[in-house]
Amino acid sequence: IQTANLDGETNLKPKACAVDKEKLSTTQDLAKLKGSIMYELPNEKLYDFEGMFSLDTEEEAFTVPLDANHLLLRGAKVMNTKWVWGMAVYTGKDSKEAMNRRKA
């Protein structure tokens, strides 16, 4: 991803997939998912994030730890990938981008 809109840096930053991509290779696989996500309260730290993603698939149930490498911030630009699956965890005034806006 590129975060120039957030921090002025134009170099690309890699992000990680939280689960084995082979288990979620189609939209049908994604539609069958059942699970939950627990994560820290909203805060202004752009590069810090902690959470747990609990998933139930038809074959197994498992929990995956989440960190900043799994977080795609509002204002970041996705590059060099055909698609992304995700879930919103902070929105509106609770987004990290909104918490870091300078007041005029």
Side-chain angles (χ1 to χ4, degrees), residues 64-79:
V64 179
L66 301 174
D67 61 28
N69 287 325
H70 303 110
L71 186 66
L72 181 61
L73 297 170
R74 177 183 176 181
K77 185 176 181 181
V78 177
M79 310 217 18

Side-chain angles (χ1 to χ4, degrees), residues 1 3 6 14 21 46 59-60 64 81 99 101:
I1 65 164
T3 58
L6 299 169
K21 294 177 279 195
L46 287 176
E59 294 84 30
E60 63 182 322
V64 179
T81 190
M99 291 184 153
R101 282 191 202 129

Side-chain angles (χ1 to χ4, degrees), residues 57-99:
T57 66
E58 291 181 347
E59 294 84 30
E60 63 182 322
F62 55 95
T63 300
V64 179
L66 301 174
D67 61 28
N69 287 325
H70 303 110
L71 186 66
L72 181 61
L73 297 170
R74 177 183 176 181
K77 185 176 181 181
V78 177
M79 310 217 18
N80 300 332
T81 190
K82 293 180 181 178
W83 47 266
V84 174
W85 286 340
M87 149 186 340
V89 291
Y90 302 119
T91 62
K93 65 178 178 51
D94 290 334
S95 71
K96 290 179 180 277
E97 183 244 1
M99 291 184 153

Side-chain angles (χ1 to χ4, degrees), residues 17-24 33-37 52-66:
C17 183
V19 296
D20 182 1
K21 294 177 279 195
E22 300 304 316
K23 293 179 183 179
L24 301 173
L33 278 182
K34 294 180 183 175
S36 62
I37 184 171
M52 297 295 285
F53 193 23
S54 298
L55 290 170
D56 293 320
T57 66
E58 291 181 347
E59 294 84 30
E60 63 182 322
F62 55 95
T63 300
V64 179
L66 301 174

